Amino acid sequence: MRAELKSLHSPDADLPTYVPLDPSSFSLLVQAMIGPAGSVAEESFDLVLCTPDWLRSQCSQDRKPLFGAQHLIVNHYDYEQVRSSIADLCSSIEGSDWAEVASKLNVYASWEFANYVSEP
């Protein structure tokens, strides 16, 4: 089984038309709707899209280390490049079932069901 990017969304911006105020230093929450390839099913995987300058500014604010999991780091904002990078990642992930595929994707973007525990 493989993953497939179904759509991208941000609660903070219209991704296809987004223009950062400072193109060299920005961050933006992106929600990738991903599901099994060939299926209409989808689940949310969240990541922070940001530039190296934004990361640098976050570290310099209090001089403490910054954890970097579930970030996509870009030099500039290009919607098509972001979309194709996430789509390529999805198509490169495979597993025996959706739970395995989604767990692997969770390394790159926070899966909405990562900590879900079903009741017995």
Side-chain angles (χ1 to χ4, degrees):
M1 173 175 283
R2 288 191 185 275
E4 178 180 60
L5 176 63
K6 310 296 183 171
S7 64
L8 291 178
H9 166 78
S10 175
D12 303 316
D14 177 48
L15 293 174
T17 62
Y18 175 65
V19 178
L21 291 177
D22 181 349
S24 66
S25 180
F26 69 90
S27 74
L28 184 64
L29 174 64
V30 173
Q31 297 171 309
M33 301 308 294
I34 301 170
S39 166
V40 296
E42 61 184 22
E43 295 175 359
S44 179
F45 291 79
D46 297 352
L47 58 90
V48 175
L49 177 67
C50 64
T51 61
D53 284 348
W54 179 83
L55 286 171
R56 225 177 334 275
S57 74
Q58 298 306 296
C59 290
S60 66
Q61 286 182 5
D62 60 11
R63 305 236 186 248
K64 291 183 181 177
L66 177 67
F67 288 95
Q70 300 163 337
H71 285 62
L72 177 58
I73 304 164
V74 298
N75 286 314
H76 63 279
Y77 184 76
D78 179 328
Y79 173 74
E80 284 304 318
Q81 185 179 56
V82 169
R83 189 202 57 73
S84 68
S85 293
I86 296 171
D88 290 348
L89 172 68
C90 289
S91 66
S92 74
I93 303 282
E94 60 182 285
S96 60
D97 59 18
W98 176 246
E100 182 181 351
V101 172
S103 291
K104 289 178 180 181
L105 283 168
N106 188 60
V107 171
Y108 301 95
S110 180
W111 179 31
E112 67 179 310
F113 297 114
N115 296 315
Y116 177 77
V117 177
S118 63
E119 297 203 15

